[in-house]
Amino acid sequence: MEQREPIIRLTNLGKEFKTANGTVKALEDINLDIYAGEIFGIIGLSGAGKSTLVRCINYLEAPTSGDVVFEGTSLKSLGRAGINQARKSMGMIFQQFNLLSQRNVLRNVCFPMELQKTPKDEAVKRARELLEMVGLSDRENAYPAQLSGGQKQRVAIARALATNPKVLLCDEATSALDPNTTKAILQLLKEINRKLGVTVIVITHEMGVIEAICDRVAIIDKSHIAEVGAVSEIFSDPKSAIGRQLIMGDTVHTDFGDSKLVRIIFDGRASNEPVLSNLILACKVPVNIMYAATKDVNGTALGQMIIQLPKDEGEEKRVLNYLATAGIPYEEVTRDDF
């Protein structure tokens, strides 16, 4: 990515909470740059600090240490009025939608504009434009209780966009939805990002969400950033233990015995290329697949596969020569590497 100023920069960010049992460090030494127009994912296990981090970004929680810099301005240097003004540029959607049950769909979308004292006619016009964008023009008079989960989240997205934010914060926005609805909501977020240029920050515990729409991802573990990079890089070659756990799952602990193992890295080949089949046909040797985790991301294969090499030294050499000649990244691994 070209060098440019980030829309959001987190520097040495920390957040502590005082409890009856002492001080709890929810975040510690968080450093991240998030650029305008990208879809940035933040992923981690439950309790890692994801939701606290997103609430610090828009100053719903004031950090204990460090700083949040938004469009070049330090938020900690601002008073309440300045923070509120900055927060208007950061729309937010939640796991549980947070719609006002006594208001219909149209009035829910109008609500943030009412708080900004937008003229009623202007607010209604803007709300209807947004409802059309999220595919709910025909439901403007319905109430939240009459909507499905996916429809409620579409209303929440429209409401979050009502004040023309530059950043859209999504805190586990699809966790309460079924897989098909999740796919549709993620596609909608991707379209909004493309059409409006809104920077989207996705907080999630699901790798499938990151894979589906994010450009870059930060993995948070035990209140720290474990690694950050392009989704393609993280998926093909995770550097941290938590990254390998999130991507590879419980099989990272599988005992493969003392056989020689090779990890093949898929970092940009066409997803329909039969790499293993070609290897077996070319080398005329059996290859045992011990583990595989590959993803098709926009027609590109990302991920990795661990294969057990033949015991015969000559056959082993043929396999390694084929991988090298075909330009397929690989490395010898042992159980201790996982």
Side-chain angles (χ1 to χ4, degrees):
M1 181 170 291
E2 64 188 56
Q3 293 296 314
R4 61 189 190 277
E5 282 301 305
I7 188 170
I8 293 174
R9 169 167 282 169
L10 310 182
T11 57
N12 305 318
L13 190 75
K15 178 63 181 178
E16 297 180 352
F17 293 100
K18 306 293 184 182
T19 71
N21 297 319
T23 300
V24 175
K25 289 186 176 181
L27 298 171
E28 190 171 7
D29 197 27
I30 303 293
N31 292 278
L32 282 177
D33 284 349
I34 300 171
Y35 296 96
E38 73 175 334
I39 303 180
F40 190 90
I42 299 173
I43 188 169
L45 301 176
S46 178
K50 305 184 301 296
S51 291
T52 301
L53 180 55
V54 75
R55 291 173 65 85
C56 284
I57 288 175
N58 64 5
Y59 253 66
L60 287 176
E61 292 281 359
T64 308
S65 59
D67 201 3
V68 178
V69 178
F70 178 61
E71 293 193 308
T73 299
S74 165
L75 295 190
K76 73 178 181 181
S77 70
L78 302 176
R80 182 183 297 272
I83 289 172
N84 287 340
Q85 187 63 36
R87 198 177 287 149
K88 291 177 183 178
S89 293
M90 302 184 198
M92 191 164 184
I93 58 175
F94 305 86
Q95 179 179 352
Q96 297 301 332
F97 321 126
N98 290 10
L99 299 180
L100 300 172
S101 60
Q102 74 277 18
R103 284 175 169 248
N104 65 22
V105 165
L106 184 67
R107 293 186 64 214
N108 259 284
V109 180
C110 285
F111 183 62
M113 292 182 282
E114 292 175 14
L115 295 179
Q116 292 190 4
K117 303 189 184 306
T118 303
K120 184 177 179 180
D121 289 350
E122 185 180 329
V124 169
K125 179 182 178 182
R126 171 69 175 159
R128 285 181 170 146
E129 289 172 351
L130 290 169
L131 287 174
E132 182 177 358
M133 179 181 295
V134 302
L136 287 179
S137 293
D138 60 339
R139 302 292 282 162
E140 69 172 55
N141 293 315
Y143 285 81
Q146 300 171 302
L147 303 177
S148 67
Q151 289 173 329
K152 290 177 183 177
Q153 197 58 288
R154 287 174 183 270
V155 176
I157 291 170
R159 181 184 60 187
L161 294 171
T163 56
N164 295 299
K166 296 177 180 179
V167 175
L168 186 60
L169 302 168
C170 308
D171 188 8
E172 297 282 8
T174 59
S175 294
L177 306 176
D178 64 74
N180 287 336
T181 306
T182 291
K183 185 177 180 180
I185 292 297
L186 293 177
Q187 184 59 40
L188 175 60
L189 289 173
K190 201 168 185 177
E191 291 173 5
I192 288 169
N193 167 259
R194 187 180 69 251
K195 291 179 180 177
L196 302 183
V198 177
T199 304
V200 180
I201 301 175
V202 178
I203 310 294
T204 183
H205 65 277
E206 300 175 282
M207 265 299 179
V209 171
I210 300 295
E211 169 199 346
I213 65 169
C214 293
D215 302 309
R216 292 193 303 135
V217 60
I219 299 177
I220 186 169
D221 182 39
K222 298 175 183 176
S223 310
H224 294 80
I225 297 297
E227 60 181 308
V228 59
V231 170
S232 59
E233 295 172 359
I234 300 293
F235 264 92
S236 63
D237 192 16
K239 304 297 185 186
S240 64
I242 185 63
R244 291 191 289 270
Q245 181 182 342
L246 287 167
I247 294 167
M248 300 171 70
D250 293 335
T251 54
V252 298
H253 303 297
T254 301
D255 187 352
F256 295 133
D258 58 0
S259 300
K260 195 167 187 179
L261 304 171
V262 164
R263 179 165 68 115
I264 297 173
I265 301 169
F266 295 88
D267 60 354
R269 308 184 79 84
S271 58
N272 61 356
E273 182 178 340
V275 172
L276 201 64
S277 296
N278 289 345
L279 183 154
I280 293 170
L281 288 171
C283 299
K284 297 180 173 57
V285 297
V287 173
N288 191 19
I289 301 174
M290 307 304 295
Y291 168 76
T294 59
K295 306 282 186 180
D296 179 350
V297 180
N298 297 323
T300 297
L302 300 175
Q304 51 201 303
M305 181 183 295
I306 297 173
I307 61 174
Q308 186 179 34
L309 297 180
K311 289 188 177 294
D312 180 85
E313 188 175 337
E315 293 180 342
E316 174 192 308
K317 188 174 182 180
R318 286 210 303 275
V319 171
L320 296 179
N321 283 341
Y322 175 84
L323 292 174
T325 302
I328 300 169
Y330 73 91
E331 62 180 352
E332 186 178 343
V333 294
T334 67
R335 186 181 185 277
D336 293 337
D337 293 319
F338 296 93

